[in-house]
Amino acid sequence: MVEQKNNIYIGIELGSTRIKTVAIDDNNRVLASGSFVWENKLIDGIWTYGMDEVKAGLKASYNALKRDYKEKTGNSLNSPSAIGISAMMHGYIALDEDDNLLVPFRTWRNTITEEAASKLSDLFDFNIPQRWTIAHLYEAMLKGEEHLKRVKKVFTLSSYVHYLLTGENVIGIGDASGMFPIDSSTYDWNKEYSTLFEKISKDMGYDFSLSSLFPRVLRAGENGGYLTKEGSRILSDEDTEVGIPFAPPEGDAGTGMVATNRVRVGGGNVSAGTSDFAMVVLSHMPGRHRELDMVTTPSGLPVAMVHCNNCTSDINFYISLFREFSRLIGSDIKDDEIFSLLYSSALNAEGKAGDYVSCNYYSGEGVTDFQRGIPLFLHSPSAPPSLSSFMRCHIYSALATLSLGLEVLRKENIEIKSLLGHGGYFKSESGIRTLSAAASTPVSVMETAGEGGAYGMAVLASFLINKGEMSLEDYLDQKVFSDAVIKTYMASDKEREDYAYFLSQYKKILSVERKTLEVF
């Protein structure tokens, strides 16, 4: 192991469009950052990233961090106290006994496992989404893919990169929960489901043991290994000292929860932009629901995830029309001002919220079982023209599908004590108050944001070294976010009533959406 010469903690997150690296100090302040832009590619019908690009992007992002640190401090960064790897969850990376990649990396974006996901969901009586690793593995089995004869290890992206750098075949429990169901009482793969899967595997002629095929599951704060000499060469152009400890590799959902301090039971976070999703930490497991993905926090608490493909795209479409009109009349109003004015106008809407209603589907939507979408806008012929009502309609519509997923939790008697909103939708008060109305719970926003999931991973690296006897939940409250500036909003009774009526109308026009898709 290496002597800790400076208290610096590094988080690296391989996201869908960039690889982000962040360094923080003992006070969890960002010291420097670096990034590398990349895009997935569709090759032979598979959305993938090349493993050479994974390594090149990792090194480029890390080297950019080191340059930024050098410019800001005048010092070199060769011996951080701890490092952690995060990445997009789910997907399928299969290696043989010599660690050769057997098939191109199959990312979360692929929807090619419908049969496997359906059969596994029925077998376990537990919702298995198409993007989960086990669905990819079983789909390959159903198709009799040749590479399965040689597969010895199966990874997610975070656990694969961690393996490259440390030689340790481990995974953080949050990322693991997107591979295969987790038992939150044992903090390991669900034994009952593992036995069922291994039985059907044997019946199909495969000798798969998930305990040997998948990485070993670790919780936040457990040691994930140390940087090896080979890993140091992969990570940086310049020497980074061998022996630096690593936190367990985590998924982007878990690091997002850490970055927003929403890891306690009853708490949750909502990210809303082009798409939106809610993560709610549970006191107990609900029944099987297609609308819910069951994952965990980095400490192993069960989490219900409601993921929606459509959020603000339709709003952006209409705002682009207003932008074009402003140019036609010679206005030099800035884009940010257009957004601010139009979002704020929704707060002044009068009349019944359901007089204007829209369906914001640009693509398919799993929560409501749509394979594709087409945006719709309807209004009552008796409703007076009103820009504020028009904007209220579309701001409400952006969260409508998410509301339907949250309804499932309420029916399971799961209490949502608070939510933290992050993403472009929550830059205005109208967006924040709409989420509060939709979820019937207080919604908070942080005035100062970190660096997203990479920051959350850096905090997990710091937790590895500095946790003492503290739980992750207490560590975040007392050490990371004790001085955070947070604003909290609660929708009024009228706002909640307005949203409930709008949602009732929204549910009705889903039948119109289905009919429209038949002819359009």
Side-chain angles (χ1 to χ4, degrees):
M1 293 184 290
V2 66
E3 179 184 355
Q4 294 170 20
K5 299 176 181 177
N6 41 23
N7 296 328
I8 296 173
Y9 312 93
I10 293 177
I12 305 171
E13 183 156 279
L14 293 91
S16 58
T17 59
R18 68 174 179 167
I19 300 173
K20 180 79 173 180
T21 306
V22 168
I24 64 173
D25 62 14
D26 270 334
N27 294 314
N28 301 287
R29 296 174 300 197
V30 176
L31 300 173
S33 63
S35 65
F36 173 81
V37 176
W38 67 345
E39 289 286 347
N40 54 188
K41 298 179 178 66
L42 185 63
I43 300 176
D44 296 329
I46 301 293
W47 289 105
T48 188
Y49 297 86
M51 292 299 107
D52 288 342
E53 191 174 15
V54 168
K55 294 178 182 178
L58 179 69
K59 179 174 286 190
S61 180
Y62 194 84
N63 285 333
L65 165 81
K66 293 179 70 172
R67 290 192 298 270
D68 189 43
Y69 183 81
K70 180 85 170 182
E71 290 173 4
K72 290 176 176 175
T73 69
N75 299 317
S76 297
L77 179 54
N78 294 322
S79 181
S81 299
I83 302 175
I85 302 295
S86 174
M88 300 168 279
M89 290 179 67
H90 318 296
Y92 179 77
I93 297 174
L95 306 184
D96 65 14
E97 62 182 357
D98 297 318
D99 291 342
N100 296 308
L101 186 69
L102 294 173
V103 291
F105 169 34
R106 298 170 182 178
T107 76
W108 62 272
R109 191 176 182 184
N110 291 286
T111 53
I112 56 176
T113 66
E114 183 176 5
E115 182 182 4
S118 176
K119 288 185 175 180
L120 289 173
S121 296
D122 289 340
L123 177 69
F124 301 152
D125 193 22
F126 182 100
N127 184 40
I128 302 293
Q130 287 199 52
R131 60 185 178 274
W132 280 32
T133 306
I134 191 62
H136 282 280
L137 174 61
Y138 189 44
E139 188 72 25
M141 293 163 59
L142 292 172
K143 293 176 179 175
E145 293 190 27
E146 187 275 335
H147 80 273
L148 294 177
K149 300 175 184 176
R150 294 173 286 136
V151 65
K152 295 298 181 184
K153 299 185 187 79
V154 173
F155 293 99
T156 61
L157 184 56
S158 83
S159 57
Y160 173 73
V161 172
H162 183 94
Y163 180 68
L164 291 177
L165 299 179
T166 68
E168 295 290 339
N169 188 5
V170 298
I171 187 169
I173 193 168
D175 202 18
S177 67
M179 293 186 77
F180 191 86
I182 290 290
D183 183 340
S184 284
S185 66
T186 63
Y187 306 114
D188 205 347
W189 309 116
N190 185 293
K191 188 173 182 180
E192 177 186 355
Y193 300 159
S194 297
T195 301
L196 287 171
F197 180 77
E198 288 164 11
K199 181 181 184 303
I200 63 170
S201 299
K202 187 174 182 180
D203 292 342
M204 295 174 69
Y206 297 100
D207 185 23
F208 287 151
S209 166
L210 293 186
S211 60
S212 61
L213 199 61
F214 284 178
R216 181 166 54 91
V217 179
L218 298 177
R219 298 171 68 200
E222 295 188 85
N223 189 284
Y226 302 91
L227 184 67
T228 64
K229 186 175 182 179
E230 181 182 12
S232 177
R233 294 193 186 105
I234 292 172
L235 187 62
S236 177
D237 285 334
E238 301 175 353
D239 289 339
T240 296
E241 290 195 37
V242 172
I244 296 167
F246 269 66
E250 264 300 348
D252 53 355
T255 53
M257 299 187 83
V258 170
T260 55
N261 192 22
R262 285 301 182 268
V263 295
R264 286 193 184 276
V265 171
N269 64 305
V270 173
S271 174
T274 304
S275 61
D276 58 336
F277 65 85
M279 306 281 290
V280 180
V281 188
L282 309 177
S283 59
H284 63 277
M285 294 287 284
R288 172 185 167 188
H289 296 281
R290 179 178 48 77
E291 298 89 347
L292 304 178
D293 287 14
M294 295 308 305
V295 291
T296 79
T297 68
S299 58
L301 295 175
V303 174
M305 180 179 187
V306 181
H307 185 277
C308 309
N309 293 334
N310 300 278
C311 186
T312 61
S313 292
D314 208 25
I315 295 175
N316 295 338
F317 173 84
Y318 284 109
I319 285 181
S320 69
L321 295 182
F322 290 111
R323 182 188 299 115
E324 184 178 349
F325 176 74
S326 71
R327 303 296 184 262
L328 285 174
I329 63 173
S331 171
D332 60 355
I333 187 171
K334 294 181 174 60
D335 286 354
D336 286 349
E337 292 178 275
I338 296 175
F339 272 87
S340 178
L341 285 170
L342 292 174
Y343 268 78
S344 296
S345 72
L347 295 172
N348 302 316
E350 297 180 354
K352 295 174 66 176
D355 284 346
Y356 289 67
V357 64
S358 72
C359 179
N360 63 326
Y361 290 178
Y362 272 65
S363 65
E365 192 58 78
V367 171
T368 48
D369 199 24
F370 279 83
Q371 299 305 309
R372 62 187 187 94
I374 183 170
L376 293 177
F377 169 61
L378 304 172
H379 66 86
S380 168
S382 62
S386 166
L387 179 60
S388 58
S389 294
F390 176 85
M391 286 306 301
R392 176 179 63 180
C393 157
H394 289 286
I395 290 171
Y396 278 12
S397 178
L399 292 186
T401 305
L402 188 76
S403 299
L404 299 179
L406 295 177
E407 277 188 351
V408 175
L409 290 177
R410 284 194 288 271
K411 290 175 182 176
E412 288 274 4
N413 297 315
I414 290 172
E415 180 184 8
I416 304 174
K417 297 178 181 178
S418 65
L419 291 170
L420 188 140
H422 53 107
Y425 180 90
F426 300 111
K427 290 181 179 180
S428 72
E429 185 177 338
S430 59
I432 302 166
R433 299 190 74 88
T434 297
L435 176 58
S436 179
S440 294
T441 195
V443 172
S444 301
V445 290
M446 288 185 181
E447 282 194 353
T448 54
E451 296 281 347
Y455 175 78
M457 193 65 240
V459 170
L460 289 173
S462 173
F463 179 65
L464 171 69
I465 303 300
N466 300 312
K467 63 183 182 298
E469 299 299 319
M470 300 179 75
S471 67
L472 177 62
E473 295 80 8
D474 288 343
Y475 185 81
L476 295 181
D477 282 344
Q478 299 174 29
K479 298 292 187 180
V480 183
F481 295 103
S482 58
D483 297 326
V485 179
I486 298 175
K487 289 185 176 180
T488 301
Y489 300 79
M490 182 65 201
S492 66
D493 290 343
K494 184 180 184 305
E495 286 172 318
R496 294 197 296 274
E497 290 170 5
D498 283 348
Y499 191 86
Y501 180 67
F502 173 86
L503 191 62
S504 70
Q505 297 295 87
Y506 183 89
K507 292 175 182 177
K508 293 175 184 177
I509 71 163
L510 290 180
S511 62
V512 181
E513 173 81 358
R514 293 191 191 280
K515 196 67 178 177
T516 304
L517 288 169
E518 293 178 8
V519 297
F520 196 94

